[in-house]
Amino acid sequence: MTGLPGSGKSTIALLLKKRLEEGYGRFVEVLDGDEIRKGLSRDLGLSKEDREEHARRVSYLAKVLSRNGVISVVALISPYRASRESARETIGPDRFVEVYVKASLATCEKRDPKGLYAKARKGEINNMTGIQDPYEAPPSPQIVVDTEAGSPERSVEDLLTGLKRLGFL
Ligand SMILES: Nc1ncnc2c1ncn2[C@@H]1O[C@H](COP(=O)(O)OP(=O)(O)O)[C@@H](O)[C@H]1O
Ligand SMILES: [Mg+2]
């Protein structure tokens, strides 16, 4: 799942994990970018190179889990189109689904669940995606979840519908 900070990736990832486990008996791991930055990627910053390296490591993890029957729900800003295409290649196009968790910058900034947009506007952060750093929205995502259209639960239903349409469920 790719999207701006505050678009709803982490919220939806946890709800999706529960639905896939309880409703479909799947094994699911949530790979959350912020969590992984505390461990596996703790040496990385927010430069373009480091964001790409972060995405590369997470892709590798998803690949290893996937080939052992574990679904990875990846909640990662993943701002660069090229990184997401590399992930598709690494994991395998038949196992990878690009989901665009969509909300306008204005909405994300209003939600500001971590207070990072406010800090960026005050100049306390200078590499915030959407403010100073680019976000390359996916031109043709396989699933779009519009999180401005309703509740997180509703968004997860939309995502499940998309996964069924693509034949993953
Ligand atoms: N439909 C929705 N889906 C997901 N989050 C939503 C939705 N509507 C409102 N929200 C709110 O938006 C915020 C999203 O935060 P978060 O999941 O941490 O975003 P991200 O992980 O993309 O940075 C949460 O406060 C959540 O309650
Ligand atoms: Mg998050």
Side-chain angles (χ1 to χ4, degrees), residues 5 15 23 35 40 58 64 77 82 110 114 128 141 149 157 161:
L15 289 172
E35 290 304 312
L40 180 65
V58 176
V64 170
I77 299 170
K110 206 166 121 201
K114 294 187 168 157
M128 179 74 181
E157 292 312 316
T161 301

Side-chain angles (χ1 to χ4, degrees), residues 135-168:
Y135 177 72
E136 298 175 357
S140 51
Q142 287 155 286
I143 300 174
V144 179
V145 177
D146 177 0
T147 67
E148 294 184 77
S151 66
E153 289 73 19
R154 167 64 199 277
S155 291
V156 174
E157 292 312 316
D158 292 346
L159 183 41
L160 287 166
T161 301
L163 290 171
K164 285 178 200 157
R165 172 174 53 80
L166 295 169
F168 282 96

